Amino acid sequence: MKSPLTPTLPCTCANIRRAARAFTQRYDEALRPLGLTITQFTILQALSLAGEPTQGELGEILAMDSTTLTRTLAIMDRHGWIAKKYGADRRERRLCLTRAGESEFSRAVPYWRSAQETLRKRLGKQRWDDLTKLINDATSMLAEQEVLDAK
Amino acid sequence: MKSPLTPTLPCTCANIRRAARAFTQRYDEALRPLGLTITQFTILQALSLAGEPTQGELGEILAMDSTTLTRTLAIMDRHGWIAKKYGADRRERRLCLTRAGESEFSRAVPYWRSAQETLRKRLGKQRWDDLTKLINDATSMLAEQEVLDAK
DNA sequence: CCTAATTAGATGTATACACATCTTTTCTGG
DNA sequence: CCAGAAAAGATGTGTATACATCTAATTAGG
């Protein structure tokens, strides 16, 4: 019975952050041939699913500060993947994919799917699904609490 | 039945990264009065538990590239919290806390514990424990795979 | 209507993170 | 022993992240 490389840490946040690093390394590696990061892929995927969210709305969906998105979107904009439309409220920028963005997303999906399926098989369906549910329940509860805090 | 602020994303990595951001924001907020981040607290906690790991060993424990630790340890070193000892192998740096580091850790524990207990109560013991086990099992499995890949 | 408060996003700054590459030290074959 | 390979960290670079603060646009009170 050898001690694991990654012992359980006393801090749940540290355990989750560690998992995020481990997963990110795997997915980034899979996407590297495309010069795409999982952060950028996630935004492409979110925009291909969502309607035309504002930057703030996308930030809420991803539990990410909207000013963080300013920087990442700028990188993606340099590649011509993102379109920003000014809505009725001219403070807002509504986001959507350009043709090039949709195309890049399509190109990336097989690389992403391969990483996702490899890890899913390795963990097993039950663990994978349980993990997905628990991690998202936790995120939802933290987000709700935040909404209450703001009042 | 309203749609959640944080819908389940198709990508498990994205779900975990989102959770990491949400948790990090809570713990960082709790530690802010001390000018300490959860990253730094985690290193203090790891060093207070571990023996005297090398930088590489600490990186493995945290699933973090050892060169990332170079920068974070430099910040902590400026505060005088970290001691680096050259071991028999002079390439290595064995890490431990200074008195000031131990003292800072002790000061921080109540703030950390408060955040941890608040969230634990909110999620409930069952979910909290299940999440901890699942997330760490997943991390372990990814780390093992990495070891195999390297061969 | 106007002014004051609020909101959306941009910008300045600092930490967090990893990969490529470099230097120093150690190990391995011969 | 010595030359080449391997290992441990440091450094250069680029992305990821959030908070404080700023600007522009909208909303709320009077």
Side-chain angles (χ1 to χ4, degrees):
Chain A
M1 189 66 182
K2 71 177 179 58
S3 69
L5 264 62
T6 50
T8 297
L9 303 166
C11 177
T12 292
C13 185
N15 285 317
I16 294 173
R17 287 173 62 83
R18 178 172 63 181
R21 286 190 294 269
F23 274 81
T24 298
Q25 284 161 30
R26 292 315 190 91
Y27 282 73
D28 274 352
E29 184 186 9
L31 294 170
R32 197 160 303 140
L34 294 164
L36 204 59
T37 64
I38 189 60
T39 301
Q40 294 165 19
F41 176 84
T42 297
I43 291 173
L44 293 178
Q45 191 166 49
L47 289 180
S48 82
L49 293 171
E52 296 192 346
T54 63
Q55 188 169 313
E57 285 164 355
L58 184 57
E60 272 193 3
I61 290 170
L62 300 177
M64 183 183 290
D65 192 286
S66 93
T67 71
T68 296
L69 279 171
T70 301
R71 319 303 166 111
T72 301
L73 290 171
I75 294 169
M76 299 177 73
D77 197 39
R78 285 204 293 273
H79 292 282
W81 298 334
I82 301 287
K84 295 184 179 183
K85 302 180 182 170
Y86 285 78
D89 183 336
R90 285 158 50 124
R91 290 170 303 181
E92 293 178 347
R93 283 122 189 71
R94 297 216 160 259
L95 302 169
C96 60
L97 297 183
T98 59
R99 287 274 188 83
E102 287 171 9
S103 165
E104 180 70 10
F105 175 59
S106 297
R107 236 192 321 277
V109 165
Y111 294 81
W112 164 74
R113 197 189 305 281
S114 165
Q116 175 109 333
E117 282 307 305
T118 298
L119 296 182
R120 186 170 161 289
K121 284 196 186 103
R122 186 157 179 81
L123 263 61
K125 179 170 172 35
Q126 190 64 57
R127 247 194 297 257
W128 187 264
D129 291 349
D130 289 351
L131 177 57
T132 298
K133 176 157 177 42
L134 276 167
I135 201 84
N136 284 331
D137 284 355
T139 303
S140 289
M141 286 183 177
L142 263 60
E144 276 172 34
Q145 186 63 51
E146 201 167 76
V147 168
L148 295 178
D149 286 351
K151 284 184 180 172
Chain B
M1 190 66 183
K2 72 178 177 58
S3 69
L5 265 61
T6 52
T8 296
L9 303 167
C11 177
T12 293
C13 185
N15 285 317
I16 295 173
R17 286 173 63 83
R18 177 172 64 182
R21 287 190 293 269
F23 274 80
T24 298
Q25 284 160 30
R26 292 315 190 89
Y27 283 72
D28 273 353
E29 184 186 9
L31 294 170
R32 197 159 303 140
L34 294 163
L36 204 58
T37 64
I38 189 60
T39 301
Q40 294 165 18
F41 177 84
T42 297
I43 291 173
L44 293 179
Q45 192 167 47
L47 290 180
S48 81
L49 292 171
E52 295 192 348
T54 63
Q55 189 169 312
E57 286 165 356
L58 183 57
E60 272 193 4
I61 291 170
L62 300 178
M64 181 183 290
D65 192 285
S66 92
T67 71
T68 297
L69 279 171
T70 302
R71 321 303 166 111
T72 301
L73 289 171
I75 294 169
M76 298 177 73
D77 195 38
R78 286 205 292 274
H79 292 282
W81 297 334
I82 302 286
K84 294 183 180 184
K85 301 180 183 171
Y86 285 78
D89 184 337
R90 283 159 50 127
R91 290 171 302 182
E92 293 178 351
R93 283 120 188 71
R94 297 214 160 261
L95 302 169
C96 61
L97 297 182
T98 59
R99 287 273 188 84
E102 287 171 10
S103 164
E104 182 69 11
F105 175 59
S106 297
R107 236 194 318 279
V109 165
Y111 293 82
W112 164 74
R113 196 188 306 282
S114 165
Q116 174 108 336
E117 282 307 304
T118 298
L119 297 182
R120 185 170 161 288
K121 284 197 186 101
R122 186 155 179 83
L123 263 62
K125 178 170 172 35
Q126 190 64 56
R127 247 193 297 257
W128 187 262
D129 291 349
D130 290 350
L131 177 57
T132 298
K133 176 157 178 41
L134 277 167
I135 201 85
N136 284 331
D137 284 354
T139 303
S140 289
M141 286 183 177
L142 264 60
E144 276 172 36
Q145 186 65 51
E146 201 167 77
V147 169
L148 295 178
D149 286 351
K151 286 187 180 172

